[in-house]
Amino acid sequence: MASSHGSSLSPPEIPMELHAENRGKLVQSLRQFLTSSSWPLHGFVFLQGGEEQTRYCTDHAELFRQESYFAYLFGVREPGFYGAIDIATGESILFAPRLSADYAVWLGEIKPLAYFKERYMVSMVCYTDEIVEVLYDHYGGPGKPLLFLLHGLNTDSNKFSKPAELEDMEKFETDLRILHPILTECRIFKSDLELALIQYANDVSSEAHIEVMRKTRAGMKEYQLESIFLHHIYMYGGCRHCSYTCICATGDNSSVLHYGHAAAPNDKTLNDGDMALLDMGAEYHFYGSDITCSFPVNGKFTSDQCLIYNAVLEAHNAVISTMKPGVSWVDMHKLAEKITLQSLKTGGIVVGDVDEMMIERLGAVFMPHGLGHLLGIDTHDPGGYATGMERPKEPGLRSLRTVRELQEGMVITVEPGCYFIDALLVPAMESLNTSKFFNREAITKYRSFGGVRIESDVHVTSNGCKNLTKCPREIWEIEAVMAGAPWPLDNRS
């Protein structure tokens, strides 16, 4: 993949047919629902795109990134748009903001409406101040046109999507219930065009992770690893956005699950003998990747590092080899826990019966997060919990971002981990139910170890799955790449 001369990749053309397909899929699903509910097949899906934001009260405009549902349906990169889809005909209408003459002075050419119609492959484009008139003309029936607005809970953030707002909304009938669950369900199952973009984001990110591995040295700062990654995905991959804030954790920081935020800003000095846990993913035309690599800063695994790393790798590989349609994601999480606990027992870190450990939820002490999440236009793509799906109550399992059975077309991350987190270890070692499982001497040795996570993005196929991520995973692969070997390595048994 990546060479010393940069990259083997070049950014692909963005197919706007992707969004036309997404709209068609939504219209078909809505029509099926309305027919089964004996509703008439008319009305408009009506969405408001994202607005440009400034930094607090200043005029500093933050780099705009489109709202995800709007991006899914229309692919529009500019702020201030609205979009409508006629359920009766399937026709799509974009509404562009009417820009002032000053825009041409400060921000560039004011594009004609025909530009947006051609670029975004929609039926027509009008201005946002024409919404009421255009929708009424398009509707042409008695009474008020019906607008299906987007309103529903994101089960990862516990925030609600924002329905479109109009000054003249009273001139329309509106429905806030129907659209969100149907559109969210559409987003779960990826088309071939979507998969190609997710694969590209994975290819760029895999390459960038390898570049970081090769350049990592003791004495560097964590943010320098982040910088190498960001440079590579933008310079060679054309990825201006990341899917999420980079986690560049070394040493004991690698036990902080979402390290890298403003209060812990990837600023530790790398020490010889530390593990690094790097969770970073590029985004290309809204579609993302989410990849974690763990490796020793100095390029050589110690026996202690091998034990924890291989425990996680075995869990990662076992899950991927078991994944196929119909498999329960909760069962996959438990499989990862059980394999990790068996490895920890073999390594003398825990003692006792592994089945009993599972009953007492000991796995959640070492892996408090869920095994993985749906991935697409959002890092945590929506739809993990459809209406009626219950979130488990037990430790570890309650952190699962989905409890679905796997289905063909899903893209989901597989990211088992093993961490030594005092906030979880201390209570578990004092608990009557779990204290007997710990080898205290061994735990003391690993208290400052941090953690290991291995994360790949996986597409569920008709009879199994495909790993979209192309990073070195075996210990000998990582050591070879960090010593300068090309990737992929030459075939070896």
Side-chain angles (χ1 to χ4, degrees), residues 441-457:
E441 188 180 332
I443 290 287
T444 300
K445 184 170 70 166
Y446 279 94
R447 280 292 266 277
S448 61
F449 179 91
V452 166
R453 181 163 64 251
I454 301 171
E455 179 179 17
S456 298
D457 303 341

Side-chain angles (χ1 to χ4, degrees), residues 333-342 358 361 363-364 367 396:
H333 181 96
K334 290 177 178 176
L335 174 64
E337 284 184 326
K338 189 167 188 176
I339 286 174
T340 303
L341 288 171
Q342 285 168 338
M358 291 292 291
R361 302 297 311 130
M367 185 175 82

Side-chain angles (χ1 to χ4, degrees), residues 312-326:
V312 177
L313 182 63
E314 192 181 341
H316 169 274
N317 293 348
V319 167
I320 291 176
S321 66
T322 311
M323 285 172 64
K324 63 182 180 182

Side-chain angles (χ1 to χ4, degrees), residues 107-120:
L107 295 168
E109 178 193 356
I110 296 176
K111 303 286 198 306
L113 296 183
Y115 165 86
F116 298 115
K117 181 177 185 295
E118 182 181 355
R119 176 177 175 82
Y120 295 121

Side-chain angles (χ1 to χ4, degrees), residues 174-188:
T174 58
D175 178 276
L176 288 166
R177 295 179 304 108
I178 290 173
L179 178 59
H180 187 273
I182 293 173
L183 180 51
T184 298
E185 200 72 16
C186 287
R187 283 181 60 181
I188 292 170

Side-chain angles (χ1 to χ4, degrees), residues 24-43:
K25 183 169 151 186
L26 172 63
V27 169
Q28 185 180 6
S29 297
L30 269 174
R31 285 176 179 167
Q32 285 175 349
F33 174 83
L34 295 173
T35 300
S36 67
S37 308
S38 301
W39 279 48
L41 294 182
H42 67 74

Side-chain angles (χ1 to χ4, degrees), residues 220-223 248 253 259-260 262-270:
M220 294 174 71
K221 291 285 192 180
E222 291 167 338
Y223 58 72
C248 294
N253 288 339
Y259 181 75
N266 296 331
D267 60 354
K268 184 175 186 279
T269 301
L270 278 60

